[in-house]
């Protein structure tokens, strides 16, 4: 549903709609709490509508949050070793 609608708006280069749908998909938790496959689609769709730096910033936020969560729990949130 939501991901397909966002993909469609990005394919049709509707920037505003793509951004609003991406924000709705991420919700209050932002990119850090989004399923990795959904995050990948959000980033790809933002990139498709020429929001490259915004997609990059969201990817950085997600990676940083995952690393921080792994550090707090003592685990490797990204599959990295100790």
């Amino acid at each position: 549903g939501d991901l397909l609608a966002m993909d469609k708006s990005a394919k049709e280069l509707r920037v505003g709609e793509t951004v609003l749908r991406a924000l709705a998909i991420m919700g209050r938790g932002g990119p850090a709490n989004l399923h990795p496959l959904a995050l990948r689609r959000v980033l790809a769709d933002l990139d498709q509508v020429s929001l490259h730096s915004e997609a990059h910033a969201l990817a950085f936020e997600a990676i940083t949050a995952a690393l921080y969560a792994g550090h707090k729990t003592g685990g490797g949130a990204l599959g990295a070793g100790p």
Side-chain angles (χ1 to χ4, degrees), residues 4-74:
L4 290 175
M6 181 185 61
D7 291 344
K8 183 176 187 280
S9 66
K11 183 179 178 184
E12 295 172 0
L13 301 178
R14 295 194 307 255
V15 179
E17 182 180 344
T18 302
V19 169
L20 289 174
R21 290 188 182 280
L23 289 171
I25 289 167
M26 287 188 290
R28 287 180 172 247
N33 294 322
L34 197 57
H35 187 280
L37 295 176
L39 177 60
R40 186 224 169 271
R41 287 180 58 186
V42 165
L43 298 175
D45 285 349
L46 291 175
D47 197 54
Q48 186 166 355
V49 295
S50 299
L51 295 176
H52 311 296
S53 61
E54 291 81 355
H56 181 87
L58 287 174
F60 182 79
E61 181 179 339
I63 291 168
T64 303
L67 289 172
Y68 179 73
H71 176 72
K72 282 178 52 176
T73 61

